[in-house]
Every structure is written in C-alpha cells, then in structure tokens.
Amino acid sequence: MIKLMIVDDEYNIRMGLQSMIERKFPEVYSFRFAEDGRDALEQLEEDPADIIITDIRMPIMDGITLLSHIQQFPYKPEVLLLSGYDDFQYAQKAIRYQVRDYLLKPVVREELYSFLEKMKIEILDRKLQNELLTVSSPSDWIANVLNSNSNDSSETYTNLLNAGYGWMEGQYILGIICIRQNDLISMLLSEAENIIISKDKEGNIIVVAQNKNELLQLAEELKKLGEREYRIALSSSTEGIQQLRKAYSEAKQTMKYFLVINNSEVLFYDHIIKRSSNCELPLETIRRLSNLLGTDRLPEVKQLLQQILNIQVISHCEIGYLERISVIMNEDIFDKVYRCYGQESIHILRLYSQVGHIGNFQRFEDYYKKVEELLVRLDAFVKVAREQSSQENKSMQKAINYVHKHFAEDLNMAVVSNQLSLNYTYFSHAFKEYTGTSFSSYLRNFRLEKAKELLAGSDQKVYEISQQVGFDNVKHFIRIFKESEGITALEYRNQNQQPPKKTIPYPKFKG
C-alpha cells in the first residue's frame, strides 16, 4: 500500500480527508496522522511516507517549516499543500520546496482525487521500475510492458523477439486470470506451447497465448479439478507485440463484467462490447432516494434502490453505466450525509467504505446488499439526527427570543444557558451552529443595532443610550461602536437622525 500522512491541526479535517480518500481508493493508501509539523517530522524520521497532505498554518510548526526539514531526507515524499488562505506568498515558498500541488480549503473532491490518482500511478510505477532493474525473463518483460507508464518499450519487444517469442508478431490473445491457487495455472500450462505467464500490479495472472483454445482448455482442466473460484477474462484476437497494452486493456474491461455475469467463468471482450452505451442514468430516482433518508419511509427507500440497481436494465448496459451510478450515489447520497452531519456520520460511512467502488465486489448481489445495509443505517441515523436538530433549533430560537427581550439587562451566555437548562459548553457550540456566530458577538451586534435605532430616532444622550441597550460602560460602548461602524456614535446620529415631524395646523374657517 502507498503510505500517506495527513497533517492538520483540526481533527475533523483529518478524518474527513481519510474518509473521502478511502471511499475513492479503497485499500490503496495506508494512513497516518499528525496534528502539527513537529509531530509529523518525528513520525517521518521513524518511518518515511510516500505522500504528505499538509495544512500550511498550524501551531508549533507550520507546513512550510515542515517542508524545509523534509528537504534533508534521503527519500522525499510527494507533498500536497492545503490552505484556507489564497496567499501567493505561501505558494511561492511551496514552489521552492518542489511541492507537487497546492489546494485551497474547502478541498474540491475532484481536484484531490486527480492529484492522488496521478501520484498513485507515479509511485507504483517507480516501485515497479526498482523491482525490474534486473529483468531477465519473458514473464518480467511482459510485466514491464503492462505495468510501466513509459511509452518506450522497444527494448522489451526486442528481447521477446530474440528469445523466440516472434509468434507475438502474429495473432495472439491475452487473458487475465483471477484465482486463489495461483500455482495451479503454472502447473496446468507447464507443457503448453507458445504461452507466456506473468503478473500485473494487482497480482492477477496474465497469460499471453498464441491460441485461445489453450486458455479454454485451461478452464476445462480447472473444472475437472473441482476449482470454482476462478475467472478468466479474454481480450479480442490481437496482432503484433506493439498491441500488447491494448489487449491487456480489453481483458481488464472484460474482467469488470463478472460483477454482473455470474453464470460463466470465462468472458470474451468480443461479447461484452455489444452491450448498450446509451442507457439513461436514473438521476431523478437517486435524488428522490436521497431526499427520503431520515423520513421514516424505509420501504420506499428500498423500492427506489431496486429501481436504481435494476439488474434487468444493468445486464443490457455496458459496465460504465453501473460504475457511473455508483459514483453518483456516492456524491449525491453518501457524501451528502457527510456534508450535512460531518464527523457524527463518519463511523457509519467508514464501516461501509467498500461501497465507494463497485470494483471491491465480485458479485452484484454482494454490492446490492451492502448498499442496502448502508442505506438502512443512514436512514436511522438521519432520522435521529434530524429529531435532535429540530429540538436543538427550538432551544436556540428560545435563546434568541430571550436575548431580544432581555438584551438591556446584565446578560451573558451563562445566564441564558441556565435559563434554558442547557449545558454551558453544549449551548455555546449549538448557538454558534444555529446563528453562524458566537453568543457574545450576537449579543453585541444586537445591542449595537438597538443603539443605532435610538441614535437615529431620539435626542437622548450617548451615555443614556449606552445604558439602555445594556452597555455598563459608555467608553466601552463608544469604542465598540466605532470599531463596528467606522464612525463615532455622534457622527452616526448626524448622518442618520430623522428630522422631527412637523405638525400641520388645521385651517381656521370664518363663520
């Protein structure tokens, strides 16, 4: 696995990034965490990382200082910088330390995924190249061609031709084999002619054969041995060594279809490409399902899931249709829950992180079951969360009403939280969530608004108004008012005071 370290002083950001990455790249990255640069540095000295995602502004040691220390390491990780500030000065410093990318908070999921996908390919390729420094066999040569990102494989092709595999200049077929007992393949194909056995990055067996009948015969032999846990995906008939990667790509695409085709152990690329590429995505149904979560209408949720993952429709569509549905459900349902409920929902989403990609499943039925289980859990979670939120909103509205009524008195957060019989710390957090600002800021701003009304609508003196709106010190009021409005209270009055209404006398009639 690729070793990834997340460095940020905010716990929710660290956990949120891990959850986001795990669902897109399950079992690709191993995670470590640090709260600041010094903590990260101590860990890295013990065990290097392949990738570091780090915030810039942190206590004790910031991200730029961490980068300066990393430059002394013999093995330098790839670094992605995060910042809540669009500050070009930091970006310049980051460039000096050869940072790979720089993203602003809040992180855009697609930008993060693009970076990690690029890094995954580069790091795995680098590790593979280190392993292939002593390439010496046809198996290694094939692996080198398939797993390397380099477009120049002329040396490998020359080696294959010189080693007697010139038949690959003619027609051949490539197969990917997934099986628990890998040794069986080598044993059964040991006497077969014109065959090369290799492996890809995922550990799957790759077989290049001049004649597809050799691979079909292999399937028959596996059946005779009672082996049932295997799958063979075959490319179309290919011609020329230079087309090796194309054949591998076809076999990989074919392998995906075992998810929805369970009645065969061998699949051909020529058969699966006949599936429709024009299937209409059930976007409206997914939206409706998302809206139903937490409404205590679980039977309807399950019914909509049956419509979304209708195997009768899926079996006639190319696999990209199901892959796209999986992505949309992640974004419009599961990610939506996380965006709404944050850290509280992570424990559920992480339990079902494999649902994030259909490639984690071998059978469609298993994928469907896990999605349904996750929806059941989220439905119950959202229902409780909404009920709690509704009760919390009522309490916060009562708090606001109390402030509006008693703002002129000696008021503080302790007084209001006691009035509502709520824990002080809980009240502080809930009030800020509800209003978007702290209690003290809300009270101060409300008092200033009332003061502005009196300044514009009365002739009372400034110190009198200060007392009426709850400030016990006129100097404090004057300072706060100017900081807020940019002008003094008297200047505000001069600019905004409304002239007194003139009384128009009734005309006198002579009678």
Side-chain angles (χ1 to χ4, degrees):
M1 298 180 78
I2 298 174
K3 294 187 287 186
L4 187 152
M5 175 180 280
I6 300 174
V7 189
D8 199 292
D9 58 325
E10 294 188 41
Y11 176 80
N12 285 350
I13 291 179
R14 298 197 301 269
M15 294 301 99
L17 286 172
Q18 179 188 10
S19 177
M20 191 184 300
I21 295 168
E22 279 184 330
R23 293 174 59 207
K24 177 67 175 179
F25 302 100
E27 299 182 7
V28 173
Y29 296 99
S30 63
F31 294 87
R32 280 186 292 160
F33 306 95
E35 297 182 0
D36 56 70
R38 187 173 68 183
D39 182 16
L41 198 60
E42 291 174 355
Q43 293 189 47
L44 291 170
E45 288 173 347
E46 295 291 329
D47 184 16
D50 297 308
I51 299 174
I52 295 177
I53 300 177
T54 179
D55 192 14
I56 288 181
R57 300 202 179 191
M58 297 179 291
I60 303 177
M61 182 187 289
D62 64 23
I64 300 300
T65 307
L66 170 62
L67 286 177
S68 67
H69 287 287
I70 289 176
Q71 303 311 303
Q72 310 305 318
F73 287 12
Y75 178 80
K76 297 182 182 63
E78 308 292 353
V79 178
L80 172 66
L81 272 183
L82 304 180
S83 176
Y85 303 86
D86 191 1
D87 195 328
F88 182 68
Q89 180 182 357
Y90 283 113
Q92 285 180 312
K93 291 183 179 179
I95 291 171
R96 183 192 312 164
Y97 295 124
Q98 298 180 324
V99 169
R100 293 302 299 265
D101 213 335
Y102 180 96
L103 299 182
L104 291 176
K105 294 180 179 179
V107 174
V108 177
R109 179 176 52 242
E110 288 73 19
E111 293 178 356
L112 176 64
Y113 288 166
S114 176
F115 169 80
L116 290 173
E117 182 65 36
K118 181 180 179 181
M119 291 302 98
K120 181 185 76 171
I121 293 172
E122 288 188 15
I123 291 169
L124 291 178
D125 185 49
R126 190 159 58 234
K127 291 181 177 181
L128 177 67
Q129 291 303 320
N130 291 336
E131 294 173 0
L132 295 176
L133 288 177
T134 56
V135 170
S136 59
S137 71
S139 174
D140 293 329
W141 295 334
I142 293 294
N144 188 29
V145 174
L146 299 182
N147 299 330
S148 172
N149 291 314
S150 171
N151 291 321
D152 183 13
S153 301
S154 55
E155 182 179 351
T156 299
Y157 297 138
T158 300
N159 288 337
L160 286 168
L161 291 174
N162 293 339
Y165 294 91
W167 52 266
M168 290 186 66
E169 283 293 83
Q171 288 193 340
Y172 61 90
I173 192 168
L174 183 146
I176 298 178
I177 303 174
C178 288
I179 188 171
R180 289 185 299 179
Q181 302 183 58
N182 289 350
D183 294 342
L184 270 178
I185 304 303
S186 299
M187 181 187 73
L188 294 174
L189 294 177
S190 58
E191 297 182 2
E193 296 182 356
N194 296 339
I195 277 184
I196 303 175
I197 303 174
S198 185
K199 282 188 177 183
D200 63 9
K201 290 179 182 178
E202 287 76 32
N204 298 317
I205 295 175
I206 306 297
V207 178
V208 181
Q210 186 176 21
N211 190 330
K212 71 177 181 181
N213 290 332
E214 295 283 2
L215 299 181
L216 296 178
Q217 181 62 35
L218 170 65
E220 292 298 321
E221 292 295 330
L222 289 172
K223 283 184 180 180
K224 290 179 182 178
L225 292 173
E227 182 64 41
R228 289 292 180 267
E229 297 294 324
Y230 74 92
R231 294 170 292 164
I232 303 176
L234 301 176
S235 72
S236 60
S237 181
T238 305
E239 185 173 338
I241 293 177
Q242 297 291 343
Q243 299 301 312
L244 189 63
R245 283 189 181 180
K246 176 177 176 290
Y248 176 65
S249 178
E250 290 178 354
K252 283 190 71 175
Q253 185 70 3
T254 304
M255 182 63 71
K256 294 179 180 179
Y257 284 82
F258 281 104
L259 178 68
V260 293
I261 301 176
N262 296 320
N263 57 357
S264 178
E265 290 79 26
V266 181
L267 292 180
F268 297 85
Y269 179 77
D270 291 338
H271 294 165
I272 64 102
I273 59 171
K274 297 176 182 178
R275 292 185 168 222
S276 173
S277 60
N278 298 316
C279 298
E280 185 177 354
L281 291 166
L283 301 178
E284 180 61 23
T285 309
I286 293 175
R287 186 189 66 82
R288 287 166 53 201
L289 189 154
S290 178
N291 291 338
L292 279 177
L293 285 182
T295 62
D296 206 19
R297 293 152 72 182
L298 194 55
E300 291 182 51
V301 169
K302 292 184 176 182
Q303 185 178 25
L304 290 175
L305 180 62
Q306 289 177 356
Q307 296 176 28
I308 294 167
L309 297 180
N310 186 337
I311 190 60
Q312 300 301 321
V313 175
I314 291 171
S315 62
H316 291 90
C317 301
E318 64 175 4
I319 199 66
Y321 171 76
L322 180 56
E323 291 176 328
R324 185 60 186 148
I325 287 177
S326 175
V327 170
I328 295 171
M329 290 182 70
N330 279 328
E331 295 174 350
D332 293 356
I333 300 178
F334 309 135
D335 284 358
K336 180 181 176 181
V337 171
Y338 175 72
R339 289 194 301 271
C340 290
Y341 302 100
Q343 184 64 30
E344 295 178 4
S345 63
I346 279 185
H347 71 284
I348 297 177
L349 294 171
R350 289 184 65 182
L351 281 174
Y352 292 89
S353 60
Q354 66 183 134
V355 170
H357 197 280
I358 62 171
N360 297 324
F361 298 88
Q362 295 187 8
R363 289 161 41 89
F364 174 78
E365 292 80 1
D366 296 334
Y367 172 68
Y368 188 103
K369 180 181 178 181
K370 286 297 181 182
V371 172
E372 186 177 57
E373 288 178 4
L374 176 54
L375 288 173
V376 170
R377 292 286 299 273
L378 290 179
D379 180 70
F381 168 80
V382 172
K383 181 177 182 294
V384 172
R386 283 180 176 172
E387 290 173 350
Q388 292 175 342
S389 177
S390 176
Q391 185 60 42
E392 183 179 282
N393 290 345
K394 290 179 182 178
S395 297
M396 292 308 103
Q397 190 56 52
K398 287 181 180 179
I400 288 173
N401 293 341
Y402 189 87
V403 169
H404 289 183
K405 185 176 180 180
H406 300 276
F407 69 93
E409 302 172 10
D410 183 13
L411 199 62
N412 56 45
M413 191 162 66
V415 171
V416 180
S417 61
N418 287 337
Q419 186 69 26
L420 299 176
S421 301
L422 294 175
N423 174 270
Y424 182 90
T425 303
Y426 167 79
F427 177 81
S428 174
H429 174 76
F431 190 91
K432 188 172 184 179
E433 285 288 317
Y434 186 71
T435 63
T437 188
S438 66
F439 177 86
S440 59
S441 295
Y442 185 91
L443 177 59
R444 182 196 62 205
N445 293 337
F446 186 78
R447 283 171 166 169
L448 288 174
E449 288 301 315
K450 288 299 181 182
K452 286 158 63 176
E453 291 177 13
L454 292 172
L455 286 167
S458 76
D459 292 325
Q460 296 181 75
K461 297 186 181 302
V462 171
Y463 78 87
E464 294 175 333
I465 292 174
S466 169
Q467 292 176 349
Q468 285 190 38
V469 298
F471 288 91
D472 56 1
N473 187 308
V474 67
K475 290 183 179 180
H476 177 63
F477 167 72
I478 291 171
R479 180 176 61 82
I480 293 296
F481 191 96
K482 187 171 183 180
E483 287 178 357
S484 174
E485 302 300 319
I487 57 177
T488 66
L490 288 177
E491 287 172 330
Y492 181 88
R493 166 172 278 170
N494 292 335
Q495 292 180 14
N496 296 277
Q497 190 171 40
Q498 300 173 1
K501 295 181 180 179
K502 293 182 179 180
T503 301
I504 302 175
Y506 287 103
K508 295 181 180 180
F509 295 96
K510 294 181 181 180

